[in-house]
Amino acid sequence: MRSPIRIQETGESAIRVIGSSGDREADWRVVHKIARAVTTPGIEGVHSAIPTYDAVLIEVDPERTTLAAIHAIVQAVAGEIDPDEPLTQQPREFVVPVVYGGEHGEDLADVARLTGLSEEEVIAAHLAPTYVIRCLGAPGGSPMLDGPTLPVPVPRLTSPRTHVPQGAVSLAGRQATITPTAAPGGWSLIGRTPLSVLDLSEETLVPYAPGDILRFERIDERRFAELAGRRLTAMETAP
Amino acid sequence: MTASIRITEAGRAAVTDLGRHRGPGVGLPVNGALDQYSARAANILVANAEGAPLIEALAFDIAFVPSHDVLIAVTGADMLVTVDGVERPMWEPVPVEAGQEVRLGDMLGGMRTYIAVRGGFDVPELLGSCAPDPAIGFGTTLAVGDSIGLHARTGVPVNPYFGISLFNFGVDRPYFGDTACIDVTDGPDIDEFAGTAGLLFEAPYRVSTRSNQVGLRLSGVLPTRVGSGEMISRGVPVGAIEVPPGGELLVLHRGRGVTAGYPVLGVVTSTSLDTLGQVRPETEVSFRRVSLERAARDARVWRERLDRLRDRVGTVFSCLGVTPAGMERAES
């Protein structure tokens, strides 16, 4: 059964495709599958696809294709997609060690206050889920996650930081992420991982992809120092 | 010995190209030359592929000395170009002998000047592009004393008449003035702004000093969002016009983060993005609403001008026995 989509004009070199079934999970799978399908070799004129939660922005080279041609391609590939089939058959699993609070998570106390919880309760809520990596965000391939269950969404900072360090573990709204590279940011910092995420020598830059699984693990300062600079890699999976 | 240029005055300049088109799929902005027309024209004038690495110089003086005879072309923002003190034209190929100093100064209008050298620069690439990405610390920015290697040493057409332009190809030069008119197509979220979207087109805006390759901030009468729900993050195109909290209009350019949680009111056309790559702080910008068909037609006109230029350059260079290698429309 084909899942419904909507195509929106977004300037002369891009279109936005929205999954409109109303089923959040199915829409997410559909837009990511469309992204994969239109960026496979053989599809002429597509620069890139940026799939997120319910939508994918497809950027084209207007010298090599037309918006009408891309509309037709999207309709054709969408028709082939089974929205119920998992996005990734065998998701990889990543475990991210985190030191919470203190200098590594300067906003933990504020997040606790704003959500009416204790700091330990915020940490426990953050550690509880097995997260699905929903999409890659800026800067540099941040893994975008559905945030932990908190009583209220975490507001964005009223004055964004000019410098969020590499490895920052943060929350905003009902989302969570890790910052692969130092950048400005308006999310609340609750902790930091010592692992290095971004690898410019790799074609994918980051070790994970949408559909993979991620968990957080609490560590202390001593362990943070031991792990500093090591790379985040997928867990070995049992055969 | 490999040919190179040695930087003798750096200003604020970097080696770039037409952008990292595979970047957005993995969370990196496309980046690359903010004025794509001028960058492409510079490469065409020296018979390089349009996507060959070239220098983008921002507003300040820059100077360099080549190790071998080279052919260069300077396009973009108006600057005084001299070779060993003798004024040379912009928007034309200019031969430079080994050891001569090329100096660019006195920028009069615009913000970004492009310098292409025949052969193109040999610099590190990431995902098929050398475009700097300050967010991840990638790129070749220029400092005094740096040597930047050139790909193959290639023939330089000889100009037998010292001091006279080698050729005059009559390139259509963009105009960089104190005001700019920017074409915009409707964004996918224009309804979020209900009746206030039209404010964008009523009165001019002023470019703030807090503008860069990520985006331009402009002050003026702002459309206001009617919906108030938290928007879910979505991919955002280069050229997106947003109204984030903070009292300024934001127009995203090629360094933009690839996802954002603000509604997209409009999208600046590709030809007008080049213009925005050249506007200075305090410039008065008016927005004009155009159809997608109009935007595509303007892009086609722009493309045809470059194609004609490439044909003329190719013909002349072939006649002079210089192989116009890499004259294909290379895309990164």
Side-chain angles (χ1 to χ4, degrees):
Chain A
M1 176 64 198
R2 181 190 171 145
S3 196
I5 54 167
R6 263 187 304 139
I7 299 180
Q8 296 179 330
E9 303 294 359
T10 310
E12 87 229 50
S13 13
I15 58 169
R16 182 200 273 171
V17 183
I18 298 182
S20 56
S21 73
D23 176 339
R24 195 169 169 274
E25 292 291 325
D27 287 341
W28 172 71
R29 287 191 292 267
V30 165
V31 298
H32 279 264
K33 288 175 181 181
I34 291 173
R36 288 181 188 176
V38 299
T39 50
T40 49
I43 304 273
E44 178 68 9
V46 174
H47 274 323
S48 68
I50 308 169
T52 47
Y53 298 88
D54 67 340
V56 52
L57 184 80
I58 301 173
E59 298 182 299
V60 303
D61 178 352
E63 291 182 16
R64 290 190 292 145
T65 189
T66 61
L67 292 179
I70 294 300
H71 276 244
I73 288 167
V74 167
Q75 294 290 3
V77 302
E80 298 292 312
I81 289 170
D82 175 356
D84 299 321
E85 194 187 331
L87 177 59
T88 304
Q89 291 300 337
Q90 288 182 312
R92 292 165 298 169
E93 186 176 338
F94 295 85
V95 176
V96 177
V98 182
V99 173
Y100 287 97
E103 61 169 316
H104 296 298
E106 293 176 23
D107 303 323
L108 179 62
D110 283 341
V111 171
R113 186 172 49 78
L114 291 165
T115 55
L117 300 176
S118 69
E119 292 187 21
E120 283 302 320
E121 285 170 328
V122 172
I123 294 169
H126 189 253
L127 285 167
T130 296
Y131 297 90
V132 176
I133 295 175
R134 292 292 177 180
C135 56
L136 304 183
S142 309
M144 306 307 289
L145 313 170
D146 296 333
T149 307
L150 297 171
V152 290
V154 178
R156 283 188 163 74
L157 302 181
T158 47
S159 172
R161 285 191 172 80
T162 54
H163 179 90
V164 174
Q166 174 193 324
V169 172
S170 57
L171 302 173
R174 296 208 178 272
Q175 290 176 270
T177 196
I178 309 168
T179 304
T181 182
W187 290 38
S188 293
L189 312 186
I190 62 165
R192 193 171 174 201
T193 178
L195 299 188
S196 126
V197 174
L198 193 67
D199 183 352
L200 298 188
S201 66
E202 289 289 328
E203 178 73 9
T204 58
L205 304 183
V206 289
Y208 42 75
D212 285 338
I213 302 291
L214 189 149
R215 285 188 292 115
F216 292 104
E217 178 183 77
R218 190 173 191 177
I219 58 167
D220 59 18
E221 290 280 354
R222 191 178 56 80
R223 188 73 183 133
F224 186 94
E226 284 168 9
L227 293 174
R230 285 202 210 166
R231 291 203 179 287
L232 174 65
T233 51
M235 301 289 287
E236 297 291 332
T237 47
Chain B
M1 181 181 151
T2 321
S4 64
I5 64 163
R6 184 168 46 83
I7 307 298
T8 52
E9 183 162 349
R12 269 183 66 193
V15 181
T16 192
D17 56 22
L18 299 178
R20 185 166 292 107
H21 292 295
R22 276 189 280 152
V26 289
L28 298 183
V30 64
N31 280 306
L34 258 60
D35 176 355
Q36 299 257 304
Y37 178 86
S38 294
R40 287 175 188 263
N43 270 324
I44 290 172
L45 286 166
V46 294
N48 284 347
E50 288 176 33
L54 80 173
I55 294 172
E56 181 180 76
L58 185 68
F60 300 98
D61 296 6
I62 175 171
F64 61 91
V65 177
S67 65
H68 293 71
D69 293 358
V70 293
L71 187 67
I72 70 165
V74 181
T75 65
D78 293 331
M79 292 184 90
L80 178 66
V81 181
T82 57
V83 176
D84 269 2
V86 177
E87 188 174 345
R88 307 296 285 134
M90 286 182 61
W91 299 93
E92 287 177 26
V94 172
V96 179
E97 291 173 21
Q100 289 187 319
E101 186 181 61
V102 179
R103 180 164 283 277
L104 279 67
D106 300 342
M107 191 179 279
L108 290 172
M111 279 290 279
R112 293 176 171 86
T113 299
Y114 296 88
I115 307 163
V117 179
R118 174 132 170 83
F121 295 103
D122 184 7
V123 292
E125 293 188 346
L126 174 66
L127 302 183
S129 166
C130 70
D133 188 328
I136 56 166
F138 178 84
T140 305
T141 51
L142 304 185
V144 171
D146 284 355
S147 262
I148 311 295
L150 292 165
H151 281 300
R153 279 165 61 186
T154 49
V156 174
V158 177
N159 171 11
Y161 306 106
F162 177 75
I164 298 171
S165 296
L166 179 68
F167 314 108
N168 187 340
F169 286 110
V171 189
D172 293 298
R173 299 165 66 145
Y175 169 73
F176 310 123
D178 297 331
T179 60
C181 180
I182 299 301
D183 289 345
V184 175
T185 59
D186 287 353
D189 308 313
I190 191 167
D191 292 345
E192 286 271 326
F193 297 88
T196 72
L199 288 172
L200 185 67
F201 309 107
E202 279 180 14
Y205 291 77
R206 194 166 291 278
V207 178
S208 146
T209 50
R210 299 195 307 129
S211 299
N212 57 23
Q213 81 285 353
V214 174
L216 292 94
R217 291 175 185 276
L218 302 103
S219 58
V221 181
L222 297 180
T224 44
R225 198 182 151 200
V226 177
S228 60
E230 170 115 348
M231 295 268 301
I232 191 163
S233 290
R234 285 173 174 164
V236 60
V238 172
I241 298 182
E242 300 176 344
V243 190
E248 286 177 313
L249 193 73
L250 178 62
V251 184
L252 296 174
H253 216 300
R254 301 181 69 85
R256 72 25 173 138
V258 296
T259 61
Y262 299 114
V264 177
L265 166 61
V267 183
V268 173
T269 66
S270 60
T271 50
S272 282
L273 277 167
D274 286 357
T275 307
L276 285 182
Q278 294 288 4
V279 299
R280 295 179 166 195
E282 301 301 324
T283 300
E284 204 175 88
V285 169
S286 310
F287 292 101
R288 181 171 64 173
R289 188 177 199 167
V290 299
S291 66
L292 276 173
E293 292 70 29
R294 169 68 189 266
R297 196 165 64 235
D298 289 348
R300 237 177 2 252
V301 169
W302 176 97
R303 181 68 252 169
E304 283 160 6
R305 284 181 188 174
L306 291 171
D307 285 345
R308 280 198 300 274
L309 178 64
R310 197 180 54 227
D311 290 345
R312 288 199 296 273
V313 172
T315 304
V316 170
F317 279 35
S318 298
C319 290
L320 289 172
V322 178
T323 318
M327 286 294 281
E328 73 283 359
R329 265 193 217 174
E331 287 300 326
S332 51

